[in-house]
Amino acid sequence: MKTLPVGDDALLVEVTSGEEAQALHAELVRRRAEGSLAVREIVPAARTVLLDGLDDPARLATELSAAEVPPAPPRARDAIELPVRYDGPDLADVAAHWGVAEQEVARIHAATEFTVAFCGFAPGFGYLTGLPARYHVPRRATPRTAVPAGSVGLAGPYTGVYPRSSPGGWQLIATTDAVLWDHARVPAALLSPGTRVRFVPVGRS
């Protein structure tokens, strides 16, 4: 792994894969919980983890460069279930890309257990991993100017749910009425890094 100083009290750790980033994030969260790591924020991304609010970033950088990070342990809590209708406008395009029927896209997606790798883009938006590489799809050549809230999309290795209407170029395969972000809820975000997620078909797709 590679460590880069960020300001006076932060450290950016770069790794080579999303799986390594998830494992590192889980290990750092564990260390903070047991009291062996004093840090204000731990923010995972696709292949990095940012640690903010460190007393001695240089010392931690040296320690991490020599450390073996164990695989991320499975989450003990039950998976969050999101009710979905497989009625997205790009369902046929995804089916063609996968070489299967539209109903098979729904079956494969709903049979997959996903994990929130990291969050970003918009409050409450989680980047979910879990689909095998053969089901990865490219973003749309022309992004939409407005994607409705609750849209479930695919892009590259990720599945995501738009928490609010916004522009976006993901391939939309389904919709959900689940509220991904509610500032009156504690925590406001339904999904957080490490959370297990399953999509449950409801109604007619």
Side-chain angles (χ1 to χ4, degrees), residues 35-50:
S36 63
L37 174 64
V39 60
R40 184 169 59 248
E41 288 189 84
I42 305 173
V43 184
R47 291 181 178 83
T48 63
V49 178
L50 175 69

Side-chain angles (χ1 to χ4, degrees), residues 57-131:
R59 181 185 60 78
L60 181 60
T62 300
E63 177 187 337
L64 290 176
S65 64
E68 288 288 337
V69 178
R75 280 288 186 108
R77 63 177 289 189
D78 293 337
I80 289 178
E81 295 188 345
L82 300 181
V84 292
R85 298 173 297 279
Y86 285 95
D87 56 3
D90 300 320
L91 186 61
D93 290 341
V94 171
H97 188 82
W98 288 5
V100 301
E102 293 181 23
Q103 294 86 348
E104 186 68 0
V105 172
R107 188 198 67 77
I108 292 169
H109 193 261
T112 302
E113 182 172 279
F114 294 87
T115 300
V116 182
F118 58 97
C119 298
F121 170 63
F125 189 95
Y127 290 77
L128 281 61
T129 58
L131 282 173

Side-chain angles (χ1 to χ4, degrees), residues 11-15 20-22 24-25 28 42-45 47-51:
L11 191 67
L12 184 69
V13 186
E14 295 182 347
V15 292
E20 288 185 25
Q22 292 176 48
L24 177 61
H25 174 254
L28 294 171
I42 305 173
V43 184
R47 291 181 178 83
T48 63
V49 178
L50 175 69
L51 298 99

